[in-house]
């Protein structure tokens, strides 16, 4: 069905997985470099040998959305912020090898010491959501808010899934970073500082938190499109809004639909729908449970044996959870294969290449944030860390 060598029980559990294709799915890009062949049967042993040779000098971080072939070599697995924190907690490791995407490696560089070097095995591993808010676009938005006299009462809040430049802007303007776990706390903090919020770059997390968790209405939210003059909004709409949402989204979580939720309930009336808050508002409203990646993992750990779950998040994680909890029926909430294509650029050949480069005394693909940007970004991150 999927091309994976899954046990029959797991194939049954992954109910809707891979039944179709989507020509509009996000694509990765070519990445130059001499890499081991993906079919090389010695890759696992080469990775083990290189990691052993490096010892405590290297610390490997693996995001939950990574392939299993990469996760097996991670010293720590987690979401983006947890991994950045873990990197900062290992000052003895000279090299932080981050198996994630570019903005995550930037955050690790901001939080780690000057003596440490953060490495991204493939520089093409980016994030389409983070790329939807550039520094120049956000500066233009801020100028729009200044022109109509509301910037001084607006607090910028950026999701962790944003570039260092955006985190730096937010820190400079007195704002805060949030994760999908603490978005509500961050927004409540922001409203203690000002009258309205500019929320970057994921419209869905901002909207879902405001409406579902904080009791605001959809009318309190406006959507700023950086590709249109004044964001495509009137001055009055900007003045009246409680939150100005940036027109950005996750290319994976944005694919889940209300129609698929309804189809899953027809197939299995007992199913529990569990989705990430980066999903569209109508999907979140129709779900039974909504939460971050860590929340999703803990919910399935605590679920009753025999219970049925349809999960709206990245496919690598759903597959891993289905294998981890074979006593539960775990389905994927989409009809088509839905990997994060840029996250999946970090594969075993790239990991082996990066490790063997370090063994050879060469440091590849270092991620460095300039000191000024890093300083402001650290202010925004520290405000988040200080949340109650």
């Amino acid at each position: 069905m999927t091309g994976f060598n899954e046990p029959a029980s797991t194939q049954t559990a992954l109910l809707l997985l891979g039944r179709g294709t989507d020509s509009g799915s996000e694509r990765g890009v070519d990445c130059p470099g001499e890499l081991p062949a993906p079919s090389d049967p010695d890759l696992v042993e080469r990775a083990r040998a290189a990691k052993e040779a490096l010892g405590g000098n290297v610390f490997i971080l693996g995001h939950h959305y990574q392939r299993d072939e990469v996760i097996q070599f991670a010293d720590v697995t987690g979401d983006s912020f947890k991994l950045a924190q873990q990197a900062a907690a290992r000052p003895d490791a000279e090299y932080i090898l981050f198996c994630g995407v570019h903005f995550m490696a930037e955050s690790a560089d901001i939080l780690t010491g000057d003596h440490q070097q953060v490495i991204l095995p493939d520089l093409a591993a980016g994030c389409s959501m983070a790329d939807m808010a550039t520094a120049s676009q956000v500066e233009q938005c801020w100028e729009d808010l200044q022109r109509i006299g509301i910037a001084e009462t607006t607090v910028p809040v950026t999701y962790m899934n944003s570039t260092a430049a955006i985190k730096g802007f937010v820190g400079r303007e007195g704002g805060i970073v949030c994760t999908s776990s603490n978005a509500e706390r961050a927004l409540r903090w922001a409203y203690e500082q000002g009258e309205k919020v500019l929320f970057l770059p994921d419209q869905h997390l901002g909207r879902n938190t405001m409406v579902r968790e904080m009791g605001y209405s959809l009318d309190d939210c406006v959507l700023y499109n950086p590709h249109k003059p004044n964001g495509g909004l009137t001055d009055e709409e900007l003045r009246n809004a409680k939150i100005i949402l940036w027109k950005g989204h996750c290319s994976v979580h944005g694919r889940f639909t209300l129609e698929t939720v309804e189809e899953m309930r027809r197939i299995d009336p007992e199913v529990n729908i569990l989705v990430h808050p980066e999903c569209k508002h109508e999907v979140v409203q129709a779900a039974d449970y909504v939460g971050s990646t860590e929340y999703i993992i803990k919910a399935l750990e605590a679920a009753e044996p025999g219970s049925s779950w349809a999960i709206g998040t990245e496919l690598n994680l759903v597959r891993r959870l289905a294998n981890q909890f074979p006593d539960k029926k775990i389905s994927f909430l989409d009809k088509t294969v839905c990997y994060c294509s840029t996250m999946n650029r970090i594969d075993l050949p790239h990991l082996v290449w990066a490790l063997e480069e370090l063994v050879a005394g060469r440091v590849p693909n270092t991620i460095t944030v300039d000191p000024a940007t890093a300083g402001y970004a650290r202010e925004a991150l520290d405000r988040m860390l200080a949340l109650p």
Side-chain angles (χ1 to χ4, degrees):
M1 178 175 73
T2 67
F4 301 120
N5 294 320
E6 299 281 11
S9 59
T10 300
Q11 289 189 356
T12 301
L14 291 169
L15 186 61
L16 295 180
L17 170 59
R19 297 264 181 97
T21 59
D22 178 12
S23 60
S25 292
E26 181 187 13
R27 302 296 185 211
V29 296
D30 292 335
C31 180
E34 294 298 324
L35 299 174
S39 58
D40 186 340
D42 298 325
L43 281 177
V44 170
E45 184 53 40
R46 287 171 63 179
R48 285 177 181 157
K51 186 178 180 184
E52 182 177 350
L54 292 164
N57 286 333
V58 68
F59 189 53
I60 301 178
L61 304 172
H63 192 273
H64 285 307
Y65 297 166
Q66 285 293 332
R67 311 162 186 251
D68 287 344
E69 66 183 39
V70 170
I71 287 293
Q72 67 180 315
F73 293 105
D75 294 302
V76 175
T77 59
D79 60 16
S80 59
F81 186 61
K82 174 185 175 182
L83 293 179
Q85 285 181 307
Q86 288 292 322
R90 287 295 297 265
D92 55 318
E94 184 177 358
Y95 306 115
I96 305 297
L97 208 159
F98 209 123
C99 297
V101 294
H102 198 275
F103 79 80
M104 301 178 189
E106 286 183 330
S107 296
D109 183 61
I110 291 166
L111 293 172
T112 51
D114 292 340
H115 65 288
Q116 296 176 287
Q117 297 185 77
V118 177
I119 297 162
L120 187 65
D122 187 347
L123 294 179
C127 172
S128 60
M129 180 202 294
D131 292 342
M132 290 176 190
T134 68
S136 60
Q137 289 172 336
V138 175
E139 293 287 358
Q140 179 59 58
C141 172
W142 200 245
E143 289 179 14
D144 291 339
L145 303 189
Q146 288 174 325
R147 178 183 56 80
I148 62 174
I150 62 172
E152 60 270 21
T153 58
T154 300
V155 179
V157 176
T158 190
Y159 189 21
M160 191 73 182
N161 300 27
S162 57
T163 65
I166 300 306
K167 292 185 179 76
F169 162 83
V170 168
R172 187 191 78 200
E173 300 299 336
I176 192 170
V177 176
C178 75
T179 69
S180 54
S181 298
N182 65 18
E184 179 183 0
R185 281 180 287 153
L187 283 171
R188 292 194 186 282
W189 175 90
Y191 285 116
E192 291 172 358
Q193 319 306 314
E195 297 176 4
K196 61 178 77 241
V197 164
L198 170 64
F199 193 89
L200 305 154
D202 180 26
Q203 59 171 302
H204 300 306
L205 177 62
R207 183 181 296 107
N208 289 328
T209 304
M210 286 287 286
V211 176
R212 186 176 181 274
E213 298 185 38
M214 299 177 65
Y216 288 90
S217 75
L218 291 174
D219 292 336
D220 293 317
C221 311
V222 296
L223 189 63
Y224 186 97
N225 185 342
H227 301 291
K228 294 183 177 181
N230 215 45
L233 299 165
T234 66
D235 292 352
E236 183 179 8
E237 286 173 323
L238 287 169
R239 289 193 184 99
N240 291 339
K242 286 295 294 181
I243 188 168
I244 301 164
L245 302 169
W246 193 262
K247 189 174 172 56
H249 65 276
C250 171
S251 61
V252 170
H253 290 107
R255 290 179 41 80
F256 299 110
T257 65
L258 179 59
E259 289 74 20
T260 307
V261 173
E262 293 170 346
E263 180 179 353
M264 289 298 298
R265 294 199 189 279
R266 286 194 297 271
I267 293 170
D268 181 1
E270 301 300 317
V271 71
N272 296 282
I273 306 292
L274 171 57
V275 303
H276 195 280
E278 290 176 20
C279 292
K280 297 172 184 175
H281 184 65
E282 61 267 25
V283 173
V284 166
Q285 289 294 90
D288 299 299
Y289 303 95
V290 181
S292 67
T293 302
E294 297 287 347
Y295 174 92
I296 289 171
I297 294 170
K298 290 176 181 177
L300 290 174
E301 287 176 347
E304 291 292 326
S307 57
S308 177
W309 297 81
I311 313 300
T313 194
E314 205 273 345
L315 180 54
N316 274 312
L317 177 59
V318 179
R319 290 180 63 238
R320 191 172 301 122
L321 292 170
N323 287 325
Q324 185 178 351
F325 303 113
D327 61 332
K328 296 151 193 174
K329 183 180 177 183
I330 297 176
S331 313
F332 183 58
L333 191 64
D334 197 1
K335 296 181 181 180
T336 61
V337 174
C338 190
Y339 293 110
C340 175
S341 63
T342 48
M343 182 79 74
N344 272 263
R345 295 211 56 91
I346 309 296
D347 55 14
L348 195 50
H350 282 88
L351 177 61
V352 170
W353 170 76
L355 287 169
E356 291 182 341
E357 286 289 285
L358 290 174
V359 171
R362 297 183 292 268
V363 184
N365 294 1
T366 55
I367 303 298
T368 304
V369 180
D370 71 88
T373 299
Y376 282 126
R378 183 64 186 258
E379 289 183 25
L381 287 164
D382 285 344
R383 290 183 189 115
M384 179 180 75
L385 292 172
L387 289 173

